[in-house]
């Protein structure tokens, strides 16, 4: 295992169009973002980090999530990423500001901003928006703030669903246990006429079909993975930083159990991966 050193001021980034896009999450959830970015930006080199040794983040304190997130940010900055995508709502809720400061002139996009923008753009009937996420994300009120900033009139109904992350990490996304868990968590939404439901955790798109089974087809489900991929493409285009030369490439790092991650990731992304490498984050 390679220990990771803190970047020094000498590491000042010089990035080009061919430099990679950095994406990270606590575990496999961020692969939903990877999949969308691969579709939206097929020529890019993506470097992904999943903190499999310390998942789940959503039940941890803000200070702990912040500390982990900055360690990962440092790792990806050392890989010379040209843009960083926070593919974890719990991190975005706890540490978005600190990550932006650490990144300096490297742009940082996050799934909360992306999800809120998509929800407001698509909610035109009742103005009632549901949000589901981890305890950390829902407890932070980050979605309420982001949505109210974009539309002061929006009415936001939030629900933490802490059991969904371990179920997703286990691959239990559509069996009886998953359906019954969703029914229990989502029961309170059945009496509210929601315009849209934001999947405020990047693990949750894995349950999209099961959520439809429970809540029906009328509801617009907002998957911030697609929204952040579009935001990333627009941002790179506006700066003329899109990689239009190379063939897409994907490098994957985790902090524990690389083989297990590789198996799950290949199943989810639908193609074979190169070796998933293991790294130790030591602050
Ligand atoms: N996928 C993450 C999120 O978007 C974190 C889940 C967790 O580690 O609890 O919040």
């Amino acid at each position: 295992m390679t220990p990771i050193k803190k970047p020094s001021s000498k590491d000042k980034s010089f990035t080009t169009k061919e430099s990679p896009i950095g994406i990270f999450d606590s575990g496999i959830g961020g692969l939903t973002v990877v999949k969308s970015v691969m579709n939206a930006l097929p020529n890019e080199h993506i470097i992904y980090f999943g903190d499999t040794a310390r998942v789940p983040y959503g039940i941890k304190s803000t200070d702990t999530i912040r500390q982990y997130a900055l360690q990962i940010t440092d790792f990806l900055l050392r890989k010379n990423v040209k843009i960083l995508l926070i593919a974890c709502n719990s991190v975005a809720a706890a540490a978005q500001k600190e990550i932006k400061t650490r990144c300096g002139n490297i742009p940082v996009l996050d799934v909360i901003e992306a999800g809120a923008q998509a929800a407001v753009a698509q909610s035109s009937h009742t103005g009632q928006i549901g949000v589901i996420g981890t305890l950390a994300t829902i407890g932070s009120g980050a979605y309420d703030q982001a949505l109210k900033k974009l539309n002061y009139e929006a009415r936001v109904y939030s629900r933490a669903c802490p059991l969904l992350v371990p179920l997703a990490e286990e691959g239990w996304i559509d069996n009886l246990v998953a359906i019954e868990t969703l029914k229990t968590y989502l029961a309170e939404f059945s009496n509210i006429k929601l315009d849209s439901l934001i999947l405020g955790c990047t693990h949750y798109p894995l349950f999209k079909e099961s959520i439809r089974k429970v809540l029906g087809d009328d509801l617009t489900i907002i998957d911030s993975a697609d929204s952040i991929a579009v935001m990333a493409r627009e941002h790179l285009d506006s700066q003329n930083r899109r990689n239009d030369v190379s063939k897409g490439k994907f490098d994957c790092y985790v902090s524990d159990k690389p083989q297990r991650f590789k198996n799950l990731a290949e199943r989810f992304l639908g193609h074979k991966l190169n070796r998933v490498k293991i790294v130790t984050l030591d602050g």
Side-chain angles (χ1 to χ4, degrees):
M1 282 197 253
T2 334
I4 291 146
K5 289 188 229 106
K6 273 203 153 144
S8 77
S9 51
K10 276 188 263 155
D11 293 323
K12 266 283 166 259
S13 50
F14 174 75
T15 61
T16 67
K17 280 183 173 187
E18 283 86 54
S19 299
I21 295 179
I23 302 180
F24 75 96
D25 178 45
S26 58
I28 62 159
L31 290 176
T32 57
V33 172
V34 169
K35 199 172 186 177
S36 298
V37 172
M38 282 175 169
N39 285 334
L41 293 160
N43 298 327
E44 300 290 342
H45 175 194
I46 297 170
I47 298 187
Y48 182 78
F49 186 90
D51 199 358
T52 48
R54 304 188 289 199
V55 66
Y57 278 13
I59 52 168
K60 296 190 168 70
S61 70
T62 303
D63 282 350
T64 300
I65 298 172
R66 221 170 254 168
Q67 184 200 343
Y68 293 170
L70 289 175
Q71 289 171 353
I72 300 168
T73 302
D74 290 344
F75 169 69
L76 291 170
L77 288 175
R78 293 178 71 80
K79 295 283 176 198
N80 211 29
V81 296
K82 65 179 172 185
I83 186 169
L84 184 67
L85 309 188
I86 306 176
C88 176
N89 292 263
S90 309
V91 168
Q96 180 248 45
K97 235 190 253 152
E98 289 75 7
I99 293 170
K100 282 195 169 158
T101 306
R102 186 67 65 97
C103 283
N105 59 359
I106 302 297
V108 178
L109 302 180
D110 75 78
V111 274
I112 292 187
E113 199 187 340
Q117 277 187 19
V120 168
Q122 290 181 43
S123 298
S124 50
H125 303 299
T126 64
Q128 307 198 119
I129 300 172
V131 185
I132 52 174
T134 64
L135 287 166
T137 300
I138 299 303
S140 73
Y143 267 104
D144 302 63
Q145 283 165 30
L147 288 163
K148 293 264 164 60
K149 211 161 119 189
L150 295 167
N151 174 9
Y152 187 70
E153 315 243 288
R155 260 163 306 152
V156 184
Y157 300 86
S158 310
R159 176 72 158 108
C161 307
L163 285 177
L164 297 188
V165 170
L167 285 177
E169 293 283 326
E170 192 59 38
W172 288 14
I173 53 174
D174 51 9
N175 64 8
L176 198 64
V177 179
I179 297 287
E180 287 306 315
T181 307
L182 284 166
K183 275 188 187 159
T184 309
Y185 281 141
L186 302 178
E188 64 197 67
F189 291 134
S190 55
N191 297 326
I192 304 167
K193 197 91 200 81
L194 292 179
D195 261 350
S196 54
L197 177 72
I198 301 178
L199 305 182
C201 172
T202 50
H203 283 69
Y204 295 1
L206 298 167
F207 297 96
K208 222 190 254 177
E209 291 318 309
S210 298
I211 291 173
R212 281 200 194 289
K213 269 190 205 149
V214 172
L215 286 182
D217 285 332
D218 290 351
L219 195 68
T220 307
I221 293 184
I222 307 288
D223 172 353
S224 48
D226 290 340
S227 330
I228 196 169
V230 171
M231 271 170 79
R233 188 177 57 203
E234 285 171 359
H235 184 89
L236 292 176
D237 282 346
S238 72
Q239 307 291 309
N240 194 21
R241 306 275 285 161
R242 196 204 286 207
N243 187 345
D244 36 26
V245 199
S246 318
K247 211 164 135 250
K249 192 171 147 202
F250 181 50
D251 282 319
C252 205
Y253 296 84
V254 294
S255 49
D256 202 3
K257 294 207 161 186
Q259 191 55 47
R260 182 174 186 274
F261 188 90
K262 188 169 181 286
N263 295 343
L264 280 171
E266 285 178 347
R267 228 172 64 199
F268 177 67
L269 293 173
H271 56 81
K272 287 268 163 219
L273 294 185
N274 290 331
R275 191 165 68 93
V276 172
K277 288 158 246 160
I278 186 162
V279 288
T280 304
L281 299 176
D282 62 0

